[in-house]
Amino acid sequence: MSLTVKGRATRERIIEAASRRLRSEEPGEMRLDDLLADTGTSKGQLFHYFPGGKEELLLVVAGREADRVLAEQEPYLSELGSPESWRAWRDALVARYGAQGENCPLGSLMGQVRSTAGVAAVVSAMLRQWQDHLRDGVRAAQAAGTADPGVDAERAAAALIAGVQGGVHVLRSTGDSGHLEAALDEFLDRLGRT
Amino acid sequence: MSLTVKGRATRERIIEAASRRLRSEEPGEMRLDDLLADTGTSKGQLFHYFPGGKEELLLVVAGREADRVLAEQEPYLSELGSPESWRAWRDALVARYGAQGENCPLGSLMGQVRSTAGVAAVVSAMLRQWQDHLRDGVRAAQAAGTADPGVDAERAAAALIAGVQGGVHVLRSTGDSGHLEAALDEFLDRLGRT
DNA sequence: GTATTTCTGGACCCGCCAGTCCAGAAATGC
DNA sequence: GCATTTCTGGACTGGCGGGTCCAGAAATAC
């Protein structure tokens, strides 16, 4: 399937609309007809560009959204090491998710697709990357002597990912960011050698 | 609305069936017709006992399921204090969720109802109770001298809840219980004075 | 400038499933 | 007992929403 310039633009417009709607106040279930209304396109076009229908489209969107999660944490994520860098990352995360409020693009996405398998895989891969960055950050801090060398970097990173995920989850359903902050701060306390 | 003995039994049967289906291998979306088939009841009855329809029914089920979550952790939860009791609780949790696999009754429930508000409230309340138990456990351990007194019990409990929630979430979508275990173990390490 | 491919619009189909309605059976009240 | 309330079954409705189809417009190829 080769796309013309115009075609690629339309396809992009559809993805963009889905993505935007997902990040909007009330994502709810995403209906194809809404997207068509948003973009001024038609059923024919949507299925022309996404023969797999809704599922295929959402999978593409999931990929974009996953990339965005990591991209939004740069440059913090790649620069973890010093206590200040950890702190900055922590603050950025809290600010980011606090502003986002009850909404969580990938979270909503997980609930939309019947066979969640595809989206789940995308999310897993993203989590894995995220965790790797954190683990490297812990090791860097240990190498620099600013973190307790007794901490198992891999396990600590896994626990941190769990804490962040859970914190965001609670934030999503209660609007309270306390759990997210608690998870982050407990981690930082444990990291720093006392 | 007063219920006869028979009436109460039927109502109970419906709730029970919904509850069971939620905990089954593949909960997916819950269809009213399935419940009717499971229980040998009819639409008329279902709407007779739950005038609010599906939403009302699921809210009742949510309450039951939330109680179950806490009940299943007894007697561990009320007896937290000694290192052994924490360990036993940890193992019970991992075993419990490991066995459950990718499924999570309350998790699926959250995705089912349009206005998730009701179910979310039930879950929040349950989480709050859970967290209180954990906090008390931390304090008990501190009082007994088996936990670092420098730890803020409330915040540590919040972080632990976040970790457990996130761990279960990851377990749910990948089938890997590593994150849950990591979160629990990191917490226990931090708790124990080294 | 003709042929081929890609793009676009929208009418239509169809399965799904929550919710309605009502008529008759069973229980309960007195 | 008769009247009243509760219980039960199932046919029916209605809307929602994903997916199909096809005819014609626009772009591209050569």
Side-chain angles (χ1 to χ4, degrees):
Chain A
M1 193 218 298
S2 56
L3 298 185
T4 64
V5 179
K6 193 171 159 197
R8 191 162 18 254
T10 302
R11 191 183 131 100
E12 204 54 36
R13 204 147 28 100
I14 294 174
I15 297 175
E16 180 52 33
S19 201
R20 196 169 341 107
R21 187 166 274 271
L22 204 62
R23 260 175 290 115
S24 74
E25 289 307 314
E26 190 48 60
E29 283 286 308
M30 186 151 20
R31 276 150 297 167
L32 257 30
D33 291 333
D34 291 344
L35 295 182
L36 303 183
D38 287 357
T39 56
T41 48
S42 65
K43 277 274 172 70
Q45 298 177 68
L46 203 155
F47 281 86
H48 178 63
Y49 296 112
F50 305 94
K54 192 178 186 181
E55 187 158 345
E56 183 180 344
L57 168 59
L58 291 191
L59 200 56
V60 173
V61 174
R64 298 273 177 113
E65 226 52 40
D67 288 346
R68 183 190 300 266
V69 169
L70 293 178
E72 280 178 344
Q73 291 180 64
E74 292 296 352
Y76 305 107
L77 224 43
S78 307
E79 302 296 337
L80 291 175
S82 69
E84 301 76 44
S85 65
W86 277 102
R87 190 104 214 127
W89 169 71
R90 183 223 103 113
D91 291 343
L93 242 205
V94 171
R96 164 74 177 69
Y97 281 97
Q100 179 178 261
E102 329 243 325
N103 184 17
C104 170
L106 280 168
S108 336
L109 216 39
M110 293 282 289
Q112 308 255 335
V113 197
R114 307 296 161 216
S115 127
T116 316
V119 177
V122 171
V123 174
S124 292
M126 183 269 281
L127 246 35
R128 181 67 242 173
Q129 266 189 279
W130 193 351
Q131 185 173 325
D132 286 349
H133 273 115
L134 295 176
R135 180 202 55 207
D136 292 347
V138 172
R139 290 202 176 128
Q142 287 174 327
T146 60
D148 183 343
V151 170
D152 175 341
E154 187 74 54
R155 204 183 74 178
L160 180 51
I161 283 288
V164 171
Q165 284 292 108
V168 170
H169 180 247
V170 172
L171 168 57
R172 245 189 107 195
S173 52
T174 68
D176 171 26
S177 64
H179 286 75
L180 176 59
E181 296 185 43
L184 288 165
D185 292 340
E186 283 290 315
F187 168 82
L188 291 183
D189 276 9
R190 167 143 171 72
L191 197 63
R193 43 193 330 162
T194 332
Chain B
M1 193 217 298
S2 56
L3 298 185
T4 66
V5 179
K6 193 172 158 197
R8 194 162 13 255
T10 302
R11 191 183 131 100
E12 204 54 37
R13 203 146 31 98
I14 294 173
I15 296 174
E16 179 52 34
S19 202
R20 197 170 339 109
R21 188 166 274 271
L22 204 62
R23 260 176 292 114
S24 74
E25 289 306 314
E26 190 48 59
E29 283 287 306
M30 188 152 16
R31 277 150 296 168
L32 256 30
D33 291 332
D34 291 343
L35 296 182
L36 303 183
D38 287 357
T39 56
T41 49
S42 65
K43 276 273 171 69
Q45 298 176 68
L46 202 156
F47 281 86
H48 179 62
Y49 296 111
F50 305 93
K54 193 179 187 179
E55 186 158 344
E56 183 180 345
L57 169 58
L58 290 191
L59 200 55
V60 173
V61 174
R64 298 273 177 114
E65 225 53 40
D67 288 345
R68 183 190 299 266
V69 169
L70 293 178
E72 279 178 344
Q73 290 181 67
E74 292 297 350
Y76 305 107
L77 225 43
S78 307
E79 303 296 336
L80 290 175
S82 69
E84 301 77 42
S85 65
W86 277 102
R87 190 108 215 125
W89 169 71
R90 183 224 104 114
D91 290 344
L93 242 206
V94 171
R96 164 76 177 68
Y97 281 98
Q100 179 179 259
E102 328 243 327
N103 185 16
C104 172
L106 282 168
S108 337
L109 217 38
M110 294 280 290
Q112 309 256 333
V113 198
R114 309 293 162 218
S115 127
T116 317
V119 177
V122 170
V123 173
S124 291
M126 183 271 280
L127 246 34
R128 180 68 241 172
Q129 266 188 279
W130 193 351
Q131 186 172 324
D132 286 349
H133 274 114
L134 295 175
R135 181 201 55 207
D136 292 347
V138 172
R139 290 200 177 130
Q142 287 174 325
T146 59
D148 182 345
V151 170
D152 174 341
E154 187 74 54
R155 203 183 75 176
L160 181 51
I161 284 288
V164 171
Q165 283 292 107
V168 170
H169 181 249
V170 173
L171 168 57
R172 244 190 108 195
S173 51
T174 67
D176 171 25
S177 64
H179 286 76
L180 175 59
E181 296 185 45
L184 289 166
D185 292 340
E186 284 290 316
F187 168 82
L188 292 182
D189 276 9
R190 167 143 173 72
L191 197 63
R193 44 193 330 164
T194 332

